[in-house]
Each structure stands twice: as structure tokens, then as C-alpha cells.
Amino acid sequence: MEDKTILLMNQYLDRDYRVFPMAEDKTALQDIRDIENSLAMKFPDEYVAHLLAEDCDALPHRGIYIEVKEEIWRRPQAMDVGPFWTFLYGFHTYTASKLSADWMRLDFVAHQFMQETGLKAIPILKIINDADMYCVNESGDIVKFNHEMNILEPTNMDFWQVWEFELKELKERKETKKAELK
């Protein structure tokens, strides 16, 4: 399956963003399969393509972190109040690399998520400062975790649709913040 990560990023991102990989080492398909086997779950093919980043020499992402630069979007401080969206300045996927920090790793985050929620799902995309997140459920579907209800809600989207939707949403939020600076 073709990796569309960079193609879609190029449609929505400009120089107002910082982007970096979640792992320095190359992810092997076996690393991903090991995680699937240990959790008795399967990732969608498009998410596996994203994690492998095989067609990407420019930015070998292996999971990716995207945020609006701080000079465009000031980071929230303790006691800040505002509309919820004003705290959502970026998002990231996770990595299959065991060399990455725990908060970046699929296996670690999955075990933590299942223990805390009692739900059988693996987080795959996290919006910064949002307790809800995109996950893969036991059927291999992408669902959204609703933290208030502690349930998994269907998205009816594949990974590329989720990726593009969140890139578009982040761009719209960034443009609103940028307009406030003027």
C-alpha cells in the first residue's frame, strides 16, 4: 500500500509548522506485526504504510509529530481559559520503535490505554491537549475514543481520511490563530 503521509501533509502544511519523526530508527514490518500479535489486534494497511514510511526519503517519519510553531500559536499556560479548540495546536501518531520514549510507542500506549479504560483498542493518533483520540479496535476499524463516556465511536474513515481530516482541521485552527495576531 502507498504511503500518503507526505503527499497529504504537503497539501495542508506550510512553514508555520514544526514536523518531526517519532523514531530515529527504521521501522520493520516485523516490529508492527509483533505489536499486533502481542495485543491480538491488526492495524489497517494504510496505517502500516504510514508507520513503515517506505516511499519517503525526504522525511522518514515512522510515526510523526506535527505542531504549529510557537510564534504563531502561543502555548497554553496554567490557568489559561478559552475555547477548547485554542488548546489543540498539533497532533501526532505513534511509532512501533522500541527505541522511542514510552509516550511515543504504540505498544506502551496501547497497554496503558487498555488498562486505564478497560477497552480493547490501540491509540494511533493523538491530538495534543485532547483526551479523545483515534484508535484501532478489535475489528481493525478506526474509531474515536470518547473519554467522557469511555466508549469507542465509529469514524467511518480509513487512516488516510483521518489523517487528511486532522491536517485540514489543524490548518483551519492555525489560520484562525494567525488572524488573531494581526
Side-chain angles (χ1 to χ4, degrees), residues 12 14-15 48 78 90 138 147 151 156 159:
Y12 295 96
D14 56 25
R15 295 182 182 267
V48 172
E138 291 180 280
H147 80 283
I151 60 171
N156 299 316
F159 179 73

Side-chain angles (χ1 to χ4, degrees), residues 39 41 109-123:
L39 298 168
M41 297 180 67
V109 172
H111 288 292
Q112 186 177 41
F113 177 84
M114 287 188 259
Q115 182 178 7
E116 290 174 4
T117 65
L119 300 171
K120 180 90 171 170
I122 303 172

Side-chain angles (χ1 to χ4, degrees), residues 78-122:
M79 308 305 281
D80 276 358
V81 177
F84 178 65
W85 71 266
T86 62
F87 295 87
L88 310 178
Y89 60 85
F91 65 90
H92 65 85
T93 58
Y94 297 94
T95 180
S97 172
K98 293 188 184 306
L99 301 178
S100 292
D102 288 347
W103 70 271
M104 300 176 181
R105 291 180 26 215
L106 277 167
D107 58 344
F108 181 86
V109 172
H111 288 292
Q112 186 177 41
F113 177 84
M114 287 188 259
Q115 182 178 7
E116 290 174 4
T117 65
L119 300 171
K120 180 90 171 170
I122 303 172

Side-chain angles (χ1 to χ4, degrees), residues 13 16 18 31-32 65 75 80 90 98 100 137 145 175:
L13 303 185
D16 292 339
R18 280 182 359 126
D31 298 328
I32 298 166
Y65 183 98
R75 297 303 179 252
D80 276 358
K98 293 188 184 306
S100 292
N137 67 10
F145 171 63
E175 293 301 329

